[in-house]
Amino acid sequence: MVTITVNNLNFSYQSTRILHDLTFEIKSGGITCLVGPNGSGKTTLIRCIDTILRPIGTILIDGRNIHDMGRRAVAEMIGYVPQTGARIAAATVFDVVMMGRTPHMGWRSTDEDLRYVEEAIRLLNIEELVDREYNELSGGQQQRVLIARAIAQNPRVLLLDEPTNSLDIHHQLEALSTIQRLSKETGITVIMAVHDLTIAARYADHLMMLKDGRIVGIGEPEDLITEERIREVYQVESRIFMDPEAGLIVTPLRPVAGLIP
Amino acid sequence: MEQSRILDGYLQRTRSRILILFALALLLLLLTGVAATLGSYPISVLEVYATIFAGPGAGSEAGTIVWDYRLPRILMGILTGAALGLAGAVMQGILRNPLASPFTLGIASAASFGASLAIILGAGFVAGGYLIAANAFIFTLLAAALVYGLAQVRGITPETMIMAGIAIMYLFSALTSFLQYIGTSEDVHAVVFWMFGSLGRATWDTVTIAFLICALTFPIFIFYARSINALAAGDETAASLGVAVERVRLIGMGGASLLTAGVICFTGTIGFIGLVAPHITRMIIGGDNRFLLPGTALMGAIILLAADSIGRMIMAPMILPVGIMTAFLGVPFFLYLFLRRRRDYW
């Protein structure tokens, strides 16, 4: 398990400020869901933690500043599942999952590399796809392949950007339960940007709500997801139910009056 | 069992990829023997191998002809084909673009300009017999450095590199046209002939230089094969997998330029191979650069040697420049593979 400490994190694209002075700590593994409207900075924050972007401020993992670490050392520790859409030329599903071993692997793949790849493929239930060309898959299938790639990377921190937005409900449940089980069994720390508040409430151990690059709140999903806060953050009237099995369910009703003419 | 089935496909593919590499190497070896029989002095294929194994200076007439006249041309063909094919595969990989080739960055037009400068004005960096080659070599690397410098202003991405390459290509084309405009018709003819690309100028000296450049760069590319694999998934994903994206791109581009410069300065610009040999090989062997790169080098050598051999036979005793033959031979093969294949490979 690792502790992620973020201090005074700021990020701007050219002159547009995206993240405003974020300071927070994520402890003890589990799943942390990032929620917030479009443009609230969820993806930017995830890309800062993966050191793809160079922010101002510090991100420490177990006390080490990750922006001082080499690319490969970061990749050994942090796995990233981007949003789908990019094509990958001339690669089978197996090849793509195998890419996850890049930071660990030399020119030849070892039996251990192959074992991780095999395990990830089984966890995401994509055995039937292994020999298919990645570009020929549907968006949902590609999403599962990308999750498998990050799992094959065997990271201690797993970052996911909208990992379920092209999955049907069956595969949503399957992928998220796999991630949840993985985080419980291996102690891996998961940070996941999610749009669906019901999903966030159901799978998050901790929730962070962002708006306009600032933290609106951090805490337990039940404390944070309220009808008032959804109105404030999303400008949407909603109703929240408790289901004995599924937990908290958010039903959006309508935009706050006055927003739509 | 499900478990072993996952790996089965991969292991089987790996085995067949290795097999394909061996088959290509064997084909190249056979082709070398056949190519050395071509010419006015009759030698059989077996005699060719016998004289090659006997070594140079064995004294026989056949030995002299093979070693002094035919082998330099053949080896230059092999090195040129391998270098252009490999450089093309690397450029397609690091630029993530199926239309990339060693000439994408304006390298060919820079080489032509360097050669024109030597032929028309007699101006260059090295006096004597290597004037044209040295000019072509230096201007090729100069163009690559210019492209890199320009692209760096906005960050080294495939887009900035291709844009800068297009600008450089037009610049050197215009400069070459200008030289041709002021040159005499004999000079212009010499420039045009240089630009066709030909193996006729090969000697043991030029073969040695080209070989050294290939021997220097090949291992570097093979070493970076995994990194180039990861680049296929995009810059951010590759970076996230621990790849030093800009460094790999710089080394790839620098190495491909050096490799290209090292052969075309002796042969003239030979198009097509660097574009199509990687595609043909990718369709046969797949996209894993650990196999694709050596496979493309072999494939490029085979295509070039075959093209040159046919160019020597088809209108014998007249020899057609190999630069013209490569396209005639390669296009039908490429189209056959491309149209037949259903999979979405790029």
Side-chain angles (χ1 to χ4, degrees), chain B residues 124-196:
Chain B
F125 298 92
V126 184
Y130 284 112
L131 176 68
I132 296 175
N135 259 19
F137 184 79
I138 288 166
F139 275 96
T140 302
L141 292 187
L142 187 72
L146 271 174
V147 168
Y148 180 73
L150 286 172
Q152 207 180 25
V153 176
R154 295 240 344 243
I156 303 290
T157 65
E159 292 75 22
T160 57
M161 285 172 78
I162 291 171
M163 288 300 223
I166 289 172
I168 293 300
M169 181 187 77
Y170 278 108
L171 172 68
F172 281 109
S173 294
L175 287 170
T176 307
S177 299
F178 174 73
L179 284 181
Q180 289 181 338
Y181 184 72
I182 63 171
T184 65
S185 61
E186 291 82 46
D187 290 344
V188 172
H189 184 263
V191 168
V192 170
F193 192 80
W194 189 88
M195 283 161 65
F196 284 151

Side-chain angles (χ1 to χ4, degrees), chain B residues 245-268:
Chain B
V245 174
E246 294 218 341
R247 189 172 71 210
V248 172
R249 195 163 278 140
L250 171 64
I251 290 171
M253 178 199 151
S257 304
L258 182 65
L259 201 51
T260 309
V263 293
I264 66 169
C265 70
F266 298 126
T267 62

Side-chain angles (χ1 to χ4, degrees), chain B residues 267-278:
Chain B
T267 62
T269 52
I270 299 175
F272 185 76
I273 291 222
L275 175 66
V276 166

